[in-house]
Each structure stands twice: as C-alpha cells, then as structure tokens.
Amino acid sequence: MNNRETKIVDERIAEENSMHILVTGGAGFIGSNFIRFMRQKHPDDVLINLDALTYAGNLTNLADVAEGTHYHFVHGNILDRDLVTQVIRQYQVDTIVNFAAESHVDRSIADPLVFVDTNVRGTAALLDVARQTQITRFLQVSTDEVYGSIPGTGHVTEAAPLRPSSPYAASKASADLMALADHHTYGLDVVITRCANNYGPYQYPEKLIPLMIQHGLTGEPLPVYGDGQKKRDWLHVTDHCRAIDLVLRRGQSGSIYNVTGNNEHANLAIVHRIIQQLHIDPQLIQLVPDRLGDDSRYALDATKIRRELGWAPTISFDAGLSETIDWYQAHRGWWERLNTD
Ligand SMILES: NC(=O)c1ccc[n+]([C@@H]2O[C@H](COP(=O)([O-])OP(=O)(O)OC[C@H]3O[C@@H](n4cnc5c(N)ncnc54)[C@H](O)[C@@H]3O)[C@@H](O)[C@H]2O)c1
C-alpha cells in the first residue's frame, strides 16, 4: 500500500472504532468544555448533546463547535424517555456521559424538588433507557460533595461512606446509587467519576470563582459566606474532562473514580487572589451569613485514578486561576448577556 492508501485505511479503522456518545447537559459549564475537548482529542467520535437549556444551559458556550456529521445538538430533557430512546436509535449511540443536572447548592436549599426531578429521576430514567437500548457504557458525572464534610486534614477514598449534607449532594448521591444498582442488578456497564470543584471558562457566574470575578469587574460587592474559611478543593475543568475521557475508555466497569489535583484553598484566600489580579479594592469583600448547613471542607484521595489509569492533573491552580480571570475579562459579552436573576 502506498502512503495515501495507508492513510485511508487508518481513517477507516478510526471511524469503525469511534464512539457515538450521548452527552447530556452538554450546554452547561463542564459539558461544553467536555464537548470541545473531545472534538479535538477524538475527532472521529460522534457527539450528540442533549440539553434542556435551563438557566445554566447556553448554546453560545459551543458557538465554535460546528454542527455537522460529528456533532449534533438536541433540545430535550433527560426525563423524556421517548425522546432519549429516539435519539439513541437515530444516532446509533453506544455510550452515555451524564452531565445533566441542577448543580447549584444554594438553589437546592431554596427549591430541592427540581433537584430530585433532574438529578435523581432524570438519571434513573436515562439508566433505564440505557439498559433497554443496550448502551455499551454509561458514565455518571458525580461530585466530591456526596461524601459530605471532611473535617481535619484527612482525604476520602471511593470506599468512604456517602454522607451528603445539602439537597444537591443528596440528589447526586442518590443518582450514584441508582447507577450502581443498575450495574449490580442488570449488569449495565456503569462507571462513576466524583470530582472536586471545577473552575475555568464558561462557568455560569453563580459559583464562587466566576461570581467573584464578575462582581470584581462590575464594581459590585463580593459576598463571601461566613468567615470565608470554608475549604474547597479545585480542579481545572480541562483536567476533569481528561479524567472523564480516560474513565470512559479504560475505567473498570462498576467502578468509582475520585478526581482531584488536591488544590485546597479557603474561599476567602481565592477571593483575595482574584482581587489582587484585578487590582480592585479589598473593601469590596462583604462577609454575609453562612449558607444553611454548609460543609466546612471537601478532600478527596484520587490515588485510584492515578494508579489504575495514569491520570494526573496538568494545570496548576495558580496558572489556571490566572487564565480563568483573563478569560472572564476578555469575554465580558458572554457573561453580560446571561440572565443571572
Ligand atoms: N461544577 C462543578 O464544580 C462540579 C464538580 C463535580 C461534579 N459536577 C457535576 O458535573 C455535572 C455538570 O456540572 P456543571 O457545573 O457543568 O453544571 P451546569 O449547571 O453548568 O450545567 C448543567 C447542564 O444540564 C442541563 N440540564 C439541566 N437539567 C436538565 C434536564 N432535565 N435534561 C437535560 N439537560 C438538563 C442544563 O441546561 C445545563 O446545560 C453535574 O452533574 C454536576 O453535578 C460539577
């Protein structure tokens, strides 16, 4: 075979091995970063983004990802089993990555039922359709919050008990249990990732980092809960996407993988970094009453994904945060157009 023929054969093999992935919630923060990441890393995969476009879903997050033979958007709800079944058949989907969720703890405290609908019932509905349509692999995107608050200096492995504190965390823990039950009961090939707090571009400005950057740029007060000493563990969204891709391809069926680079910071310390980079007045910080029942610390042990799959974070928190602040400064139009009421 000459070079050209070899290239054609290689392309055909890649096409035959390509995955047809239903990405739910792909218009949100992590989902849109995941779609962009996958289009670059695995251009032969076919990605179908099913998203209900809630306040957090935004198609402009994917304005640079062209619709065509390898990327399709479908407007719909994961609770709509008929639609999901039809999409799976139409696009010959073999794999599901479930990002679709209500994701904000404050909103779950104000209105927990929508979290049960999407995060619990929605995941259960998707799992059911996955089983009936003989999906090859189902990846459930979960969170470190399912383990609850981790006092002191310890870190939790995947074997730690689930002790969710907020309605959000309880709904995510329930979804994880439904996924594991489907693996145990029906043999559905399920894998679960439990990741630390993500940050990076396209995050809706209700979560700490984009909210503080946005307020800093508009000169509004920076509201920090309690004394600002609650600790969170941060991972750049691209490193999370890389972990999901690895677990999707190489994770052991029925397994859970914690994902973190162990970047623990008190909320107030992060706000001070943002203030420093934006050159704004620290007097803008406003300590506000603590969130109801707020966890003091999350801290994962991610030895398993490092050892089994060779994953490691690639973006340092200093560089990632600095780039994220630059991104929000450069993309003012993106967040000014959002409805943040
Ligand atoms: N953001 C984090 O720090 C973090 C950390 C760990 C895990 N997670 C998990 O990752 C996933 C994505 O988080 P995110 O921060 O990108 O959330 P997000 O709120 O930015 O996006 C959620 C997306 O899901 C869509 N959606 C909501 N309900 C839906 C439904 N019923 N049917 C279809 N689509 C629906 C929304 O329109 C939106 O596009 C969630 O499952 C979340 O629990 C998030």
Side-chain angles (χ1 to χ4, degrees), residues 27-30 51-52 54 56-57 77-78 99 101 103 118 142 168 172 196 198:
F29 164 47
I30 308 175
D51 198 296
T54 68
N77 197 308
I78 55 170
F99 291 96
S103 67
T118 291
S142 186
Y168 163 69
K172 292 297 291 184
N198 283 216

Side-chain angles (χ1 to χ4, degrees), residues 14-40:
E15 190 72 39
E16 278 164 13
N17 292 333
S18 72
M19 294 165 98
H20 288 215
I21 308 174
L22 177 62
V23 180
T24 69
F29 164 47
I30 308 175
S32 61
N33 277 284
F34 180 72
I35 288 172
R36 191 172 294 100
F37 172 86
M38 294 289 277
R39 287 298 304 122
Q40 281 166 11

Side-chain angles (χ1 to χ4, degrees), residues 53-80:
L53 298 181
T54 68
Y55 77 95
N58 181 357
L59 284 179
T60 63
N61 295 1
L62 290 161
D64 57 331
V65 178
E67 283 229 33
T69 49
H70 290 82
Y71 169 67
H72 308 272
F73 172 71
V74 179
H75 186 196
N77 197 308
I78 55 170
L79 279 155
D80 186 342

